[in-house]
């Protein structure tokens, strides 16, 4: 065989991990073939060029993490940035059996790829630099999940990175807020999330740029879909290291690495106002402060650090107390002993994010089954919640999770992937 097929423009190759002769090919070897074709823009890779590249990779890289970085990184770089993952993820979309239905909806490729990309950096890039090193890759479970792509045909079982159902939940939540469908939301849009449960002060902090990679967020006052992925996962699972870091950065107004009593009171004031509006007498700040200090048990009295919050295993209760009114009330109504038991059983198999995504997905399915969205679909063909409607098929309706609607007034070809990564 004189050349390998590496065309990313059409899913003509066998599913991920199988060669045209039916032989198994390792994920890294297949990635090398695909990436060479991508970088050359030819769609084909000669045997000689591939062998030379692969020999050099084996000589200089001695484990899967270093090989993966070497294959995807830009020339001269020993780290991966978000745009480095695009050809690899596009190949997953084109070739994985569990994503075969997306062939009929190319408009959704960039959205799915953006979501997976953000989840990779959310879980792997522990340094928050926007550059994944070999060390970070080794410490993560990402390459194990890449290997599972070869074994698992149901992509929704790969819940940490590749789940299409998780993508769908995130995208639908964003779509509900993005009323003008320009792929950006402002503060007024984000305030509406979860019936205005999150305080205005916290919304302002998110838009201050303290936890967003897009420098235009603070300048333009708009949040991209990529940044929304980080927000939603952090909001629905405040037990992970990344989410604790996310919300700590937001609450640390002066950036000194310590949450002072002033900063805690600053956020608690709005919570009190919301409680009073609901005819609920709020706990005085002094009493709330005592409760939170008992909860966190900081190493230095009166100063709460990131280390303290990670050690206490109850950071989710701490954060919700200061900026999420609904979850705060939910915690208040729970048996305190159940909270203690929950902390003791940390390391649960199913994360809070997975529980949330599964519940929300079931709700979307139930709403579809009862026909709650039917009118919206015909009125608004942009809706990702709708069935795929084709005039050529006489408006035949198909399950909306089976085929995402490609009938979009927005020209997705003009929307570059890189817009999400700046």
């Amino acid at each position: 065989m004189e050349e390998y097929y590496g065309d990313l423009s059409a899913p003509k190759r066998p599913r991920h991990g199988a060669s045209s002769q039916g032989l198994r090919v390792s994920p890294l070897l297949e990635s090398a073939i695909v990436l060479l074709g991508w970088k050359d823009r030819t769609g084909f890779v000669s045997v000689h060029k591939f062998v030379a590249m692969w020999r050099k990779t084996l000589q200089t890289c001695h484990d899967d993490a270093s090989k993966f970085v070497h294959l995807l990184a830009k020339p001269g770089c020993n780290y991966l940035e978000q745009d480095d993952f695009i050809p690899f993820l596009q190949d997953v979309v084109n070739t994985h059996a569990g994503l075969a239905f997306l062939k009929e909806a190319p408009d959704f490729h960039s959205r799915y790829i953006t979501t997976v990309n953000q989840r990779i950096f959310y879980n792997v890039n522990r340094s928050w630099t926007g550059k994944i090193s070999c060390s970070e890759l080794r410490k993560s479970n990402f390459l194990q999940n890449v290997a599972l792509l070869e074994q698992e045909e149901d992509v929704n079982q790969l819940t940490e990175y590749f789940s299409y159902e998780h993508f769908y939940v995130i995208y639908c939540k964003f779509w509900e807020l993005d009323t003008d469908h320009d792929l950006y939301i402002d503060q007024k849009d984000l305030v509406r999330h979860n019936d205005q449960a999150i305080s205005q002060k916290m919304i302002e902090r998110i838009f201050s740029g303290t936890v967003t990679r897009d420098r235009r967020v603070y300048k333009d006052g708009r949040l991209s879909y990529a940044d929304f992925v980080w927000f939603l996962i952090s909001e629905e699972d405040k037990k992970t290291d990344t989410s604790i870091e996310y919300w700590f950065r937001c609450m640390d107004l002066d950036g000194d690495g310590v949450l002072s009593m002033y900063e805690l009171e600053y956020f608690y004031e709005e919570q009190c106002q919301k409680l009073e509006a609901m005819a609920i007498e709020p706990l005085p700040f002094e009493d709330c402060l005592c409760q939170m200090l008992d909860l966190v048990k900081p190493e230095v009295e009166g100063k709460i650090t990131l280390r303290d919050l990670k050690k206490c295993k109850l950071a989710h209760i701490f954060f919700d107390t200061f900026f999420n009114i609904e979850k705060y009330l939910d915690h208040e109504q729970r048996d305190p002993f159940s909270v203690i038991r929950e902390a003791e059983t940390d390391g649960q198999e199913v994360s809070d994010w997975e529980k949330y995504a599964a519940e929300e997905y079931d709700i979307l399915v139930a709403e579809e089954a009862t026909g709650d969205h039917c009118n919206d679909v015909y009125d608004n063909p942009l809706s990702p919640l709708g069935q795929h409607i084709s005039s050529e098929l006489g408006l035949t309706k198909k399950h909306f999770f089976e085929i995402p609607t490609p009938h979009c007034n927005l020209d997705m070809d003009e929307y570059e992937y890189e817009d999400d990564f700046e």
Side-chain angles (χ1 to χ4, degrees):
M1 185 168 64
E2 295 184 353
E3 51 193 11
Y4 291 95
Y5 187 82
D7 185 3
L8 296 182
S9 63
K12 296 179 182 177
R13 295 187 301 107
R15 88 172 278 273
H16 225 63
S19 72
S20 58
Q21 287 79 21
L23 300 175
R24 299 297 296 174
V25 179
S26 74
L28 286 174
L29 196 61
E30 184 175 0
S31 296
I33 298 170
V34 170
L35 290 164
L36 273 178
W38 174 277
K39 291 177 179 178
D40 284 357
R41 301 293 179 182
T42 62
F44 294 90
V45 181
S46 69
V47 170
H48 298 295
K49 187 168 186 177
F50 171 75
V51 170
M53 183 280 301
W54 190 243
R55 181 178 292 135
K56 180 180 179 181
T57 300
L58 294 178
Q59 289 174 347
T60 58
C61 306
H62 306 293
D63 66 354
D64 283 348
S66 59
K67 291 172 187 173
F68 191 84
V69 171
H70 177 76
L71 289 172
L72 268 67
K74 300 176 183 68
C77 295
N78 60 355
Y79 55 81
L80 296 175
E81 297 179 300
Q82 292 192 11
D83 57 344
D84 294 326
F85 282 88
I86 291 175
F88 169 74
L89 295 176
Q90 182 67 61
D91 184 59
V92 172
V93 170
N94 287 349
T95 63
H96 196 281
L99 296 170
F101 62 94
L102 278 179
K103 294 175 184 177
E104 300 186 46
D107 293 343
F108 271 67
H109 289 192
S110 65
R111 300 280 68 73
Y112 174 78
I113 288 172
T114 296
T115 305
V116 176
N117 221 333
Q118 298 310 311
R119 297 192 71 181
I120 292 170
F121 276 76
Y122 188 93
N123 290 314
V124 179
N125 188 210
R126 303 297 309 118
S127 62
W128 284 69
T129 59
K131 300 175 181 178
I132 293 178
S133 64
C134 284
S135 176
E136 288 179 322
L137 203 56
R138 292 187 187 102
K139 293 176 182 178
S140 75
N141 64 354
F142 175 68
L143 291 181
Q144 290 90 321
N145 274 264
V146 171
L148 287 174
L149 284 171
E150 311 301 312
Q151 307 166 20
E152 181 58 67
E153 292 194 1
D154 183 3
V155 74
N156 294 313
Q157 297 301 314
L158 306 179
T159 56
E160 292 189 71
Y161 303 98
F162 299 103
S163 171
Y164 182 82
E165 291 179 0
H166 286 200
F167 150 70
Y168 210 94
V169 168
I170 297 171
Y171 189 55
C172 287
K173 290 296 178 182
F174 182 81
W175 191 269
E176 292 171 3
L177 301 177
D178 182 21
T179 53
D180 58 2
H181 307 309
D182 64 348
L183 300 177
Y184 289 93
I185 57 175
D186 58 23
Q187 290 192 32
K188 292 181 181 178
D189 294 326
L190 192 57
V191 164
R192 293 189 291 106
H193 175 72
N194 198 20
D195 295 327
Q196 303 183 358
I198 301 176
S199 70
Q200 179 64 43
K201 289 180 178 178
M202 181 51 69
I203 297 294
E204 291 172 359
R205 283 295 293 165
I206 293 170
F207 277 81
S208 71
T210 187
V211 289
T212 55
R213 300 201 182 281
D214 192 340
R215 297 177 181 178
R216 295 172 297 182
V217 172
Y218 178 71
K219 180 181 178 181
D220 299 340
R222 302 192 307 168
L223 200 71
S224 69
Y225 172 69
D227 285 320
F228 180 80
V229 175
W230 283 65
F231 160 77
L232 188 63
I233 296 176
S234 298
E235 165 57 18
E236 297 305 332
D237 190 351
K238 297 186 177 77
K239 297 177 182 177
T240 67
D241 284 348
T242 303
S243 63
I244 293 172
E245 292 160 9
Y246 185 98
W247 295 117
F248 185 89
R249 286 176 175 228
C250 288
M251 292 190 69
D252 185 14
L253 299 176
D254 55 11
D256 65 350
V258 174
L259 298 185
S260 65
M261 302 307 103
Y262 163 76
E263 287 164 330
L264 299 183
E265 187 172 17
Y266 172 79
F267 287 101
Y268 190 66
E269 283 177 352
E270 188 173 343
Q271 292 289 78
C272 290
Q273 294 170 6
K274 286 190 174 184
L275 289 170
E276 290 170 351
M278 300 167 66
I280 299 175
E281 184 178 356
L283 196 66
F285 174 70
E286 292 75 14
D287 295 338
C288 175
L289 180 60
C290 289
Q291 286 187 1
M292 292 300 102
L293 292 176
D294 287 342
L295 185 84
V296 177
K297 295 180 174 59
E299 294 180 359
V300 178
E301 186 177 354
K303 294 183 178 181
I304 297 176
T305 65
L306 182 60
R307 175 188 174 90
D308 295 328
L309 288 170
K310 288 183 177 180
K311 285 178 60 179
C312 79
K313 305 296 183 182
L314 295 170
H316 58 295
I317 297 177
F318 174 85
F319 289 130
D320 289 335
T321 298
F322 291 101
F323 58 81
N324 190 307
I325 195 67
E326 287 195 10
K327 292 183 178 180
Y328 166 69
L329 291 174
D330 181 59
H331 295 316
E332 287 292 295
Q333 294 168 5
R334 294 182 61 185
D335 179 4
F337 291 105
S338 69
V339 174
I340 296 174
R341 287 194 298 270
E342 188 178 281
E344 291 174 348
T345 57
D346 188 46
Q348 57 193 352
E349 291 185 6
V350 181
S351 67
D352 284 357
W353 165 252
E354 290 179 64
K355 292 177 184 176
Y356 169 81
E359 290 171 1
E360 290 297 320
Y361 185 82
D362 287 344
I363 290 172
L364 291 171
V365 172
E367 289 177 346
E368 160 62 12
T370 57
D372 287 349
H373 288 296
C374 286
N375 293 333
D376 291 340
V377 171
Y378 287 97
D379 292 339
N380 182 11
L382 286 171
S383 175
L385 294 174
Q387 296 101 332
H388 173 67
I389 301 173
S390 172
S391 57
E392 296 178 359
L393 296 176
L395 296 181
T396 299
K397 293 185 286 185
K398 299 183 180 180
H399 196 283
F400 65 83
F401 286 112
E402 195 171 49
I403 304 178
T405 174
H407 297 297
C408 183
N409 294 337
L410 187 67
D411 186 356
M412 299 298 285
D413 291 333
E414 294 181 358
Y415 182 80
E416 299 293 337
Y417 292 116
E418 288 76 6
D419 290 348
D420 284 330
F421 308 135
E422 292 179 0

